[in-house]
Amino acid sequence: MRLLRLIPDDTSFPFMKFRPFAFGLSALISMATIVGFLTIGLNIGIDFKGGTLVELQAKQGHANIGELRTRLQGANVGDVQLQEFGGPNLVMVRYGEQPGGEPGQQAALRRVRALIDADYEVRRTEVVGPTVSSELVQMSVIGVILSILAVLIYLWFRFEWQFAVAAMIATLHDVTAIMAFYIFTQADFDITSIASVLTIIGYSLNDTVVVFDRIREMMRKHKKLPVAELLDVAINSTLSRTTITATTTFLALLGLFFFGGEVIQGFTASMLVGVIVGTYSSIFMAAPILIYLGLRQGGFGTARAEAEDGEGATAKAKA
């Protein structure tokens, strides 16, 4: 019985020849993200700006968005956003933070419910006060920064500074691409978005470390091979594994996107984009950057690898 192979084992794609185009594409995405952030901005969710989200289900027939909007004007909660989701009888209502802190939010929610309880069933309510939202923003930013720094330090000790810097640049590229997704789709950027970003960072770094490990291995085997050719050999040797991992992860997320429900649809959508971006950056960003950072055959990284090999051989001999 033959095993299914998405990519043959003996590929020899010249990935390094495409690095100018890959860097140009990534620079274009990064510039578009910055411009989009300054002009369009993120659609910040209630988690970060405070306010109330109410999910409603019409008790009979379809929900009438126009009539519901008119009715909610009597609740005196300011600007109200209504959005149909999941079906014609389901509506998501959002309104901003109310004065008076937590008691003010609860009082506003009671006024809203008094206006809709006769015709709509409240499926879920989510109230986030200003203090909680401010703390969530701070902790989320700190969490993302600390995770990137921790990975940077690990890679510095595990490999060499060139690998750590290349991985950090590729990671920032991935985060920028995910921000582009949130900016241009105007999907809610809330606490689950932070979870999505951190998950994508982990996925992308795992892929990058696999490629880096193979590069270091190749540096020991092919000491006279030019660096660009060596990187091509290393990436081609991991291409089958990278493709299978990305494909299976993507298919699993695709199932969650279509059948996992509205609650996690935004999370899975960003993860789908993240899997593509993370795989792309491992091949076309992280490895080619090593050339510009001065990675050389016979450098300090090779010496460390050879020392590790020597220690391993000594241990086997003693055993």
Side-chain angles (χ1 to χ4, degrees):
M1 180 178 177
R2 296 184 60 185
L3 296 176
L4 174 65
R5 293 189 182 280
L6 297 178
I7 299 290
D9 290 333
D10 55 349
T11 58
S12 57
F13 296 115
F15 292 105
M16 293 306 110
K17 286 186 179 178
F18 297 103
R19 66 179 186 274
F21 302 102
F23 287 161
L25 176 63
S26 297
L28 190 64
I29 293 173
S30 299
M31 285 189 290
T33 304
I34 294 171
V35 172
F37 182 78
L38 295 176
T39 56
I40 303 173
L42 288 166
N43 182 20
I44 302 296
I46 286 175
D47 290 348
F48 292 148
K49 67 180 180 183
T52 302
L53 179 149
V54 185
E55 286 185 12
L56 304 177
Q57 181 175 15
K59 292 181 178 177
Q60 291 183 345
H62 295 177
N64 187 330
I65 299 290
E67 186 272 337
L68 187 58
R69 188 187 305 278
T70 303
R71 193 187 300 187
L72 288 175
Q73 287 177 354
N76 193 28
V77 293
D79 183 35
V80 180
Q81 298 177 6
L82 291 92
Q83 179 184 3
E84 182 181 303
F85 74 102
N89 61 334
L90 299 174
V91 183
M92 185 176 292
V93 179
R94 302 169 189 266
Y95 53 88
E97 174 193 338
Q98 303 297 306
E102 198 65 26
Q105 313 302 317
Q106 296 297 336
L109 181 59
R110 286 194 293 273
R111 294 199 298 274
V112 168
R113 297 193 64 151
L115 292 171
I116 60 174
D117 271 347
D119 301 314
Y120 293 89
E121 177 187 348
V122 177
R123 300 179 68 198
R124 180 170 71 102
T125 61
E126 193 173 318
V127 180
V128 179
T131 304
V132 175
S133 62
S134 174
E135 290 177 357
L136 282 174
V137 171
Q138 293 177 12
M139 296 307 292
S140 299
V141 171
I142 291 172
V144 172
I145 293 175
L146 286 181
S147 64
I148 294 176
L149 285 177
V151 170
L152 176 65
I153 293 171
Y154 167 75
L155 289 176
W156 199 311
F157 281 101
R158 182 69 179 86
F159 297 97
E160 295 302 334
W161 70 268
Q162 291 100 332
F163 291 89
V165 173
M168 189 180 69
I169 294 173
T171 301
L172 291 176
H173 164 272
D174 296 345
V175 173
T176 303
I178 295 303
M179 289 296 107
F181 165 78
Y182 279 107
I183 289 170
F184 293 111
T185 63
Q186 284 294 289
D188 272 0
F189 189 81
D190 50 25
I191 199 68
T192 60
S193 306
I194 297 297
S196 169
V197 170
L198 290 174
T199 307
I200 291 165
I201 288 175
Y203 177 86
S204 176
L205 280 170
N206 181 58
D207 235 18
T208 302
V209 168
V210 169
V211 174
F212 282 179
D213 210 39
R214 187 58 58 90
I215 290 172
R216 195 173 63 159
E217 184 183 330
M218 292 297 170
M219 289 174 71
R220 284 174 273 175
K221 289 183 178 178
H222 308 284
K223 296 182 179 178
K224 295 183 180 180
L225 202 63
V227 173
E229 293 182 30
L230 183 140
L231 295 179
D232 277 340
V233 172
I235 294 173
N236 275 291
S237 67
T238 58
L239 192 60
S240 179
R241 176 262 173 205
T242 301
T243 306
I244 291 173
T245 303
T247 303
T248 51
T249 308
F250 189 88
L251 290 175
L253 288 169
L254 206 60
L256 284 175
F257 178 80
F258 285 112
F259 306 112
E262 293 284 338
V263 176
I264 62 169
Q265 206 165 48
F267 174 81
T268 50
S270 63
M271 284 293 298
L272 285 169
V273 176
V275 169
I276 297 172
V277 172
T279 306
Y280 162 83
S281 69
S282 299
I283 296 174
F284 291 102
M285 287 294 296
I289 288 173
L290 293 173
I291 297 175
Y292 300 102
L293 292 176
L295 183 71
R296 297 192 307 276
Q297 285 285 54
F300 182 58
T302 308
R304 177 183 289 188
E306 288 174 345
E308 289 177 2
D309 283 352
E311 290 173 3
T314 304
K316 285 182 180 177
K318 288 180 178 178

